Amino acid sequence: MALWGGRFSSGPDEAFKQFNDSLPFDYQMAEQDIIGSIAWAGALQQVKVLSAQEHTELVAALNALLSEVQQDLSAVASAGYEDIHSYVEAKLIDKVGDLAKKLHTGRSRNDQVATDFRLWSRSTAEQIVEAIQALKAEFIALAERELGTILPGYTHLQRAQPVLFSHWCMAYVEMLERDESRLNDAIKRLNVSPLGSGALAGTAYPIDREALAHNLGFSHASRNSLDAVSDRDFVVELLSCASISMMHLSRFAEDLIFYNSGEAGFIELADNVTSGSSLMPQKKNPDALELIRGKTGRVFGAFSAMMMTLKALPLAYNKDMQEDKEGLFDAMPTWLACIHMAQACIKGVKVNGEATLKAAKGGHANATELADYLVAKGIPFREGHHIVGQLVQHAISKGQNLEDLSLDEFQTVCPVIAEDVYPVLEIDACIAARQALGGTSLPQVEQAIKTAKSTQNSNS
Ligand code: ARG
């Protein structure tokens, strides 16, 4: 039975029904719809629409329904009703008859769906916050495990300057930190109750909307009924948080795919996150990482789809807004799964410190050090830059690193270079020189780890 048959002389045709129904996806909000209904029943009792006895009976039936849907949520999806609100009402009528029909007094599916969706979003977002924290902890653990490992740092995908492998780990901790804080902000803003806004104009019953909001764990009630039923900013914000974080995860995935390649050979991924080829027996493919990279596109898609759906929609509720759910229902679990997979990849990664060191030593990654050395000898940086360029060219022509050149070779290009250049060119010296805040020297990286661990502890 539909919730609105009275005005109609014939029912919807089958194709329209299929087109219009949202139960096949909004069944996922069954719990939230029931919990919101329990709170609404309480509000109706307070304004004497329900007697104490009716309230008790309704709440008992709603709780019974809650445990039924919890047992088999997917059965709800195919029950054939228009949407989750119709489903809950119909099941309630099965249980308590006409009394169930009182529950929708003063309420519209418009404030109801906005409430359900916010409740769903809040609990899903909270799970993701926890997952991000766990992923940060995994990066920190890897940073501690690989504290002495030296990695070539890249710009333009060319070896640029050596960095500590742990510095690379902590860069992702920074990104995840921002992802977490962005998501917490979004949670704060979405945690507002639209319930009691009616269809668009507010409810005609003297409901204490603040108390109702607090019952559902919201921080307060929305202030404008028109806005409350048509606002989907929270969906856009969550999809934006998801997109930014997926962008970070895709960069992480790409870094590791490259480090794992035969050409780099910097890391080896564990068997549990890789797969083989059906044809080439030697292959061990980084599928988990490639899927993280690939799924990023899908999350970005959900974000832009939502923006386009909402653009130029007149106030207040329009059925277009039913299109708000599938994107978020897909994007949030996808994001969560990618966070979990990223964690699994990091947990089992083996770093080949010899290979990373060898690569860091090649590629003339100490050229900046030599330029700084010349500056210390009184040569202006621009000039020093040019001199070092010539020396690099010379080293390349001999297939050598800068530190392999003889003092004679150095002095032919620049006479001020002396024996004391060699310690400067050592890779450890390149790392150790980066002492300023945020640099890759060991004390700075250790400090970053310490700070991250202490914020981690205070967040949990
Ligand atoms: N299934 C609808 C949605 O997801 C519920 C709200 C329906 N409201 C209405 N006035 N038809 O948006």
Side-chain angles (χ1 to χ4, degrees):
M1 187 192 72
L3 297 179
W4 37 260
R7 187 201 182 288
F8 292 77
S9 36
S10 72
D13 70 44
E14 194 44 42
F16 169 70
K17 183 172 158 42
Q18 267 192 30
F19 189 62
N20 189 48
D21 285 0
S22 53
L23 190 61
F25 49 89
D26 71 13
Y27 76 92
Q28 294 179 68
M29 305 191 304
E31 280 188 34
Q32 289 76 10
D33 199 73
I34 297 169
I35 287 165
S37 294
I38 292 174
W40 186 245
L44 288 181
Q45 190 207 339
Q46 266 163 13
V47 297
K48 309 222 164 16
V49 170
L50 294 176
S51 69
Q53 152 98 45
E54 287 174 325
H55 172 254
T56 313
E57 219 181 305
L58 262 183
V59 170
L62 283 164
N63 275 321
L65 187 57
L66 183 60
S67 38
E68 281 164 34
V69 303
Q70 279 168 340
Q71 261 162 38
D72 192 359
L73 190 58
S74 55
V76 179
S78 50
Y81 294 90
E82 183 185 340
D83 55 25
I84 189 57
H85 326 295
S86 322
Y87 172 89
V88 169
E89 192 167 316
K91 293 290 153 187
L92 213 52
I93 293 172
D94 289 348
K95 287 190 191 302
V96 296
D98 281 351
L99 171 59
K101 299 180 183 167
K102 287 191 170 184
L103 181 61
H104 209 53
T105 315
R107 183 175 73 166
S108 155
R109 279 185 292 165
N110 296 353
D111 58 349
Q112 199 178 347
V113 73
T115 306
D116 295 359
F117 203 18
R118 282 173 190 258
L119 289 173
W120 183 91
S121 296
R122 185 179 69 198
S123 70
T124 309
E126 281 168 354
Q127 274 179 41
I128 293 180
V129 168
E130 274 179 33
I132 294 177
Q133 286 172 353
L135 178 56
K136 279 193 320 189
E138 204 68 61
F139 267 113
I140 294 170
L142 179 60
E144 286 184 308
R145 238 173 20 245
E146 293 295 336
L147 207 49
T149 307
I150 294 177
L151 180 75
Y154 292 84
T155 61
H156 313 275
L157 210 50
Q158 310 216 22
R159 275 172 271 175
Q161 289 176 339
V163 291
L164 289 181
F165 184 84
S166 309
H167 198 48
W168 173 88
C169 295
M170 296 312 289
Y172 283 99
V173 172
E174 290 294 322
M175 293 175 234
L176 290 165
E177 186 75 43
R178 293 194 295 276
D179 292 343
E180 183 186 341
S181 114
R182 238 185 311 270
L183 186 53
N184 277 323
D185 278 353
I187 293 174
K188 249 181 254 154
R189 260 186 301 280
L190 74 79
N191 199 25
V192 173
S193 172
L195 201 54
S197 296
L200 74 164
T203 187
Y205 295 82
I207 304 284
D208 180 348
R209 293 195 53 233
E210 278 300 319
L212 179 59
H214 293 145
N215 271 345
L216 289 168
F218 288 115
S219 59
H220 58 91
S222 58
R223 288 184 296 256
N224 180 298
S225 61
L226 276 176
D227 175 51
V229 295
S230 46
D231 168 26
R232 294 293 184 275
D233 291 6
F234 68 98
V235 183
V236 175
E237 272 200 74
L238 288 178
L239 289 171
S240 152
C241 292
S243 296
I244 295 172
S245 180
M246 284 298 298
M247 174 270 288
H248 290 149
L249 294 178
S250 75
R251 297 181 79 169
F252 153 76
E254 175 61 18
D255 269 356
L256 277 201
I257 290 167
F258 166 58
Y259 294 168
N260 183 62
S261 67
E263 282 64 27
F266 294 168
I267 59 158
E268 192 189 334
L269 292 165
D271 290 357
N272 62 348
V273 289
T274 49
S275 80
S277 156
S278 57
L279 180 79
M280 298 162 281
Q282 83 282 12
K283 296 264 281 203
K284 186 173 172 187
N285 298 326
D287 297 43
L289 296 165
E290 289 170 318
L291 281 170
I292 292 174
R293 192 175 58 182
K295 284 173 192 293
T296 303
R298 179 164 149 184
V299 173
F300 290 6
F303 170 73
S304 34
M306 188 75 265
M307 291 292 276
M308 297 197 199
T309 298
L310 292 175
K311 178 185 175 290
L313 267 193
L315 293 189
Y317 180 84
N318 302 271
K319 199 57 175 272
D320 314 46
M321 291 164 72
Q322 180 166 287
E323 287 295 310
D324 58 0
K325 288 174 206 68
E326 285 161 288
L328 197 69
F329 284 165
D330 182 68
M332 296 296 269
T334 299
W335 182 15
L336 184 62
C338 290
I339 297 171
H340 286 151
M341 262 315 124
Q343 190 178 346
C345 289
I346 298 170
K347 204 182 186 97
V349 78
K350 272 209 228 96
V351 182
N352 182 346
E354 276 168 35
T356 54
L357 181 63
K358 186 160 173 261
K361 281 184 170 166
H364 309 100
N366 50 3
T368 317
E369 258 47 51
L370 184 53
D372 285 339
Y373 168 88
L374 295 178
V375 169
K377 298 269 174 190
I379 297 178
F381 183 77
R382 259 312 129 234
E383 210 175 299
H385 187 282
H386 186 75
I387 294 168
V388 177
Q390 288 177 309
L391 285 164
V392 168
Q393 206 179 16
H394 179 68
I396 290 173
S397 72
K398 293 185 69 193
Q400 284 183 331
N401 290 332
L402 279 171
E403 65 273 23
D404 301 326
L405 299 181
S406 70
L407 196 53
D408 271 357
E409 287 173 299
F410 275 123
Q411 288 178 341
T412 321
V413 177
C414 178
V416 306
I417 298 179
E419 196 61 44
D420 61 355
V421 74
Y422 291 104
V424 170
L425 294 177
E426 274 173 27
I427 195 143
D428 289 337
C430 304
I431 301 268
R434 267 73 205 173
Q435 291 281 354
L437 179 68
T440 195
S441 67
L442 190 59
Q444 281 300 324
V445 173
E446 281 174 329
Q447 185 55 46
I449 292 173
K450 212 169 123 196
T451 311
K453 281 173 102 172
S454 66
T455 43
Q456 190 86 337
N457 293 336
S458 63
N459 282 343
S460 56

